[in-house]
Amino acid sequence: VGPPFPALENRRAMAVGKNKKLNKGKKGQKKKAFDIFSKKDWYDVKAPAYFQKRLVARSPVNRTAGLKIASDGLKGRVFEVSLADLNQDESSHRKIKLFAEDVQGKSLLTNFHGMDLTTDKLRSLIKKWNTLIEAFVDVKTTDGYLLRVFVIGFTKKQRTQIRKTSYAQRSQCRDIRAKMIEIVEREIVTCDLREAVNKFIPESISKEIEKAAAGIYPLQDVFVRKVKIMKKPKFDVSRLLEIHGDASGAVKADGTPIAPGQRTEFVEPKPLESV
């Protein structure tokens, strides 16, 4: 007569090493306490020289280990910063995007990557009883950057106007849109990226559009709503170092130039005693 429970006998005879489930630890075991930031290094994110504040942020990355190089993990990161923080003024409705292009020591050198209006500012511009006019155009700078520039504007009620609404006709909208495209092309096509950014910040292009459109239909709240970089030239280290070293032509949002003495240069922090 065989054993009463043959299945149990087989289980006893089974080798421990063959059964994967027997080797598993108990559920709910605590893992060892491990600080993930102990394997990371911090790098200083530096804005181009045409902004007043150079040190934008600090960014962590895993240390170089084997084939994984730390600089490769940093290049290509995009940082979105308020223009008010970069130039230390009141232009808080502007957001600037900075693209990490190269690593020099513990500094991460960035370049201009785009510009945008904050959502609350854009929503506050839209009102009833007037016409919203938008236009966009692709423009190439002298140093090979292809920019897509978006412009927004609103029709304005005149002083002597009795009528409640200020709606522009379709033909007037078309003419104003053509003026917007013409002025943006004229202003950007003859300058490099740094000069273009210095025109976007004080809204000089917007003021030109307002003046030009006054003969067609008066405009108000004209802004360069957004700037996107569609194509970039081949990466040049010497060109990037020139952007980070030369601060000529830097301006604030109100158009006043930034003196070199007003800049906040990076100062190496003291090493921490413990992490």
Side-chain angles (χ1 to χ4, degrees), residues 169-185:
Q169 294 177 357
R170 189 176 292 181
S171 60
Q172 290 173 322
C173 292
R174 189 168 57 245
D175 293 343
I176 290 171
R177 215 170 281 120
K179 281 283 181 190
M180 287 176 171
I181 292 168
E182 180 195 329
I183 290 166
V184 170
E185 284 180 339

Side-chain angles (χ1 to χ4, degrees), residues 20-31:
K20 294 176 182 177
K21 289 185 180 179
L22 291 176
N23 292 334
K24 276 195 172 181
K26 292 180 181 178
K27 286 186 178 180
Q29 278 186 340
K30 289 184 178 179
K31 291 183 180 179

Side-chain angles (χ1 to χ4, degrees), residues 94 115 147 149 188 196-203 205 224 227:
R94 281 258 179 246
M115 190 176 74
L147 306 179
V149 183
I188 304 301
V197 174
N198 285 331
K199 285 183 179 181
F200 292 140
I201 289 170
E203 303 287 355
I205 295 174
V224 175
V227 179

